Amino acid sequence: MRDSIKEYEAVQAAAMKFVKSVAEGNSKYARELFTDDAVLFGFLDGEPERGSIEQFYHNVDTVSGGEAFKARVDVVAVEETLAVVRVLEEGWGNRIDFTDYLLLLKIGGEWKPSSKVRKKLDIRWKFSICNGWTFILVWDVWAVDAIQKALVCRNCVLLMAAEGNTPDNFEPVEHYYHALLRHLGWENLGEVYAGGVMQIGDIAGHPSLEKAYSLGKSI
């Protein structure tokens, strides 16, 4: 049985305290929110972070979100006393974008995060064309099943521009793309890769544009 919207709103309100701490550079709100034994996992500036949530508090108190900081809270799931929240953050410290996942437990009637997993964005763009609309998705493994349930379409294409222009450059993304489609059970309608795109404007007149246009027209 699905939890009530009121419960989802309570989870979202709890997550907003997390956002408030990050935005203002003040761990006070997060300290009131997290369980005392909460843990974190992830990377910051290429260095692994794992262990006590105190590391997060230190980071927040050291660097504020900054004027350009933006955040979005998505309640992925609520199941009785367990909830999962995704927090998208852009421009932290005017330089870094993150995706955070919070695992919350309902303790004494309050939603409290017991763990935080952070991923510095390594963006993989997928373009899913459904009923004339184009969905540009940045997928994280933790959210993929929720997205799968939310979308009606089961077809997609991959369009990618990159600096490198060799098969080896595109192979990791191609491998990930096909692995993801197998997991979702989706049909691949085509792929177009544009190599040698080094600077703004390099894509103009690129042969891949005609290929992308023809692919879109054929769907």
Side-chain angles (χ1 to χ4, degrees), residues 94-188:
N94 296 313
R95 68 186 185 92
I96 301 178
D97 296 346
F98 285 111
T99 297
D100 277 316
Y101 282 92
L102 306 178
L103 178 63
L104 297 90
L105 299 175
K106 193 172 186 180
I107 302 173
E110 294 185 276
W111 286 103
K112 303 184 74 64
S114 62
S115 64
K116 182 182 85 71
V117 178
R118 163 171 285 175
K119 176 188 175 186
K120 183 177 178 181
L121 291 188
D122 176 15
I123 297 177
R124 302 180 178 93
W125 296 96
K126 283 84 172 178
F127 296 77
S128 176
I129 301 175
C130 179
N131 297 330
W133 292 87
T134 301
F135 298 90
I136 304 176
L137 307 176
V138 182
W139 277 353
D140 295 285
V141 174
W142 287 46
V144 73
D145 289 326
I147 293 172
Q148 165 78 329
K149 293 176 182 177
L151 295 181
V152 175
C153 58
R154 296 292 183 267
N155 304 319
C156 62
V157 303
L158 171 63
L159 308 178
M160 177 182 174
E163 295 180 356
N165 196 21
T166 65
D168 289 343
N169 181 70
F170 297 109
E171 191 277 332
V173 174
E174 184 178 13
H175 176 78
Y176 177 87
Y177 174 65
H178 285 283
L180 182 61
L181 293 193
R182 287 194 297 271
H183 173 76
L184 292 172
W186 284 24
E187 178 186 2
N188 176 30

